[in-house]
Amino acid sequence: MPTSNPDTQAVPTEFRMPSLGADMQFGTVVAWLVKPGDHVKHGDIIAEVETEKGVFAVEIGSDGVIDELSVAKGAKVPVGTVLARLRGEGVAAVSTGTPAEKPQAVAPPPPAAPAAAPSKVPAPTPSPPRAPAPPHEHALHASPLARKIAEAKGIDLATLTGTGPGGAITKADVERGAAGPAPPGAPPPAEARAPTEPRPTTETLSAMRHAVATAVTRSKREIPHYYLAANVNLGSALAWLGAYNAAHGVADRVLPAALLLKSVALALREYPLLNGFWTDGAARKSEAIHLGVAISLRDGGLIAPAIHDADRLSIDALMRALSDLVQRARSGGLRSSEMTDPTVTVSNLGDEGASSVFGIIYPPQVALVGFGSISERPWAERGLLGVRPVVTVTLAADHRATDGHYGSRFLAAIDRLLQAPESL
Amino acid sequence: MTRDEIKTAVLAALRRVAPEVDPASVRGDAPIRDQADLDSMDFLNFLLQLHAALGVDIPESAYREVATLDGCIAYLSANGAQLQAAKPGDR
């Protein structure tokens, strides 16, 4: 119950810029979705933040009332910067809510409670704030490339119609907007094939490549990787899947990727040392299994957001979650918890040429599971040679946390699970 | 629907999944997946777009037939493609 005793009055809780990936150093607030006085609950989206990897919906980690928004829209700040302050329900406001003012503290503030971000915050070297993003009322989904081009051309994203996935605004939409409306009766303008200003493209791609380069360099420098591979006969799994899909419409169709992801999630229940983190010289297992899914972005670049509690989802729910995640990864609607929560990552190059992939672990995780392309291969069984659809599953693992014997049994568990697809 | 109308709808569906692909550059007789760099998820989304736009549910057993643009148009034409009314929230 709130009390009017000033000695027990709660002090504002700080909400800080989360680390949305091992390589992230700065983020730009492109939109505030709350204002001082708003009541928020754990998990509510309170802002949109842009990094080189895209635009993310940032969730607050606690309940309370927004007391102050500490960073202005458009400002680029280091990870760990206080973005907002909250007060408890029923507590009097101590701030007028403008970014310039500081609240009166009656005791040292409690530790900030954003989603767990084990990576270290680099020493802050603040850069001058960017020019504010074009004003818009609602959270707009636009690819990072589209945003950069729109900004360079001085186009307000709110005036454009998005034709990308989920109504997202694409580079082509921005260029159509720049060309202006077609005269009445004229045929629709031909699609612009390449941006007229190469600089935004180069900048965006470079920023993304830089982010990936930083992450993989750190990973290879710090993590002693070992690598294992196993070939898995997917004959039963694909037969089961074919029958399932034939009995359902296109909207409920399930891809083999969903079966592969589920088998990894369930195998991690049996081999939990591969699910978690290595930080400060020690292993930290995770109870929950949040599968990071490596997704290629169409403009170039890589991102690996999480499907939460993948081991508890039905195949159908897992497929829907995967489809939704890929769509939002490409159109800019990922949530900060999806970036901070992966406990392991799966890289499924399934449809491409490579038969196997030995990946680079995302620090501070301790494992990365890879799947190559599913292809018809010779297969020996009970002394007879036949042909089966086979996938090569690989494990890249941190040798500080596990040994080859453990990793090998983990791969055998994945194989075993994929031989009984109806139980996945 | 005429073949040209179906073709327009197919290319529009493709553009929703692969916005950077120039529709004019898509050859009729080569696999769409290769030309537009579609993985299996993208291809499924393309089929979902076609279903929403033209009302035809393309089963996995027909994937070989619809692999090229020409094949896709032919299949849709033979299976009663009709322009569907857009619903709110359609991708």
Side-chain angles (χ1 to χ4, degrees), chain A residues 19 98 109 129 135 161-162 217-218 242 260 299 315 374 401 418:
Chain A
S19 173
T98 60
T161 308
T217 304
R218 175 184 161 196
L260 302 179
D299 282 342
I315 288 294
I374 302 171
L418 286 168

Side-chain angles (χ1 to χ4, degrees), chain A residues 191 193 250 253 298 330 351, chain B residues 15 20 36 42 58 63:
Chain A
E191 298 289 53
R193 263 198 282 168
V250 61
R253 195 158 299 166
R298 292 198 69 88
R330 293 177 178 169
D351 308 304
Chain B
R15 203 162 55 74
E20 73 292 340
D42 295 326
I58 301 174
Y63 277 11

Side-chain angles (χ1 to χ4, degrees), chain A residues 163-166 170 172 176 191 193 241-242 245 249-251 253-255 298 319 322-323 326-327 330 351, chain B residues 15-20 22-23 33 36-42 44-45 47-48 51 57-60 63 91:
Chain A
T163 61
T170 66
R176 257 199 306 285
E191 298 289 53
R193 263 198 282 168
L241 192 58
N245 284 334
V250 61
R253 195 158 299 166
V254 173
L255 293 174
R298 292 198 69 88
M319 179 66 201
L322 176 64
S323 181
V326 170
Q327 185 205 316
R330 293 177 178 169
D351 308 304
Chain B
R15 203 162 55 74
R16 296 191 142 209
V17 171
E20 73 292 340
D22 174 14
R33 283 187 60 166
D37 190 19
L38 303 183
D39 63 20
S40 56
M41 177 78 73
D42 295 326
L44 181 55
N45 285 333
L47 297 185
L48 286 167
H51 183 234
D57 183 325
I58 301 174
E60 290 188 314
Y63 277 11
R91 286 194 271 156

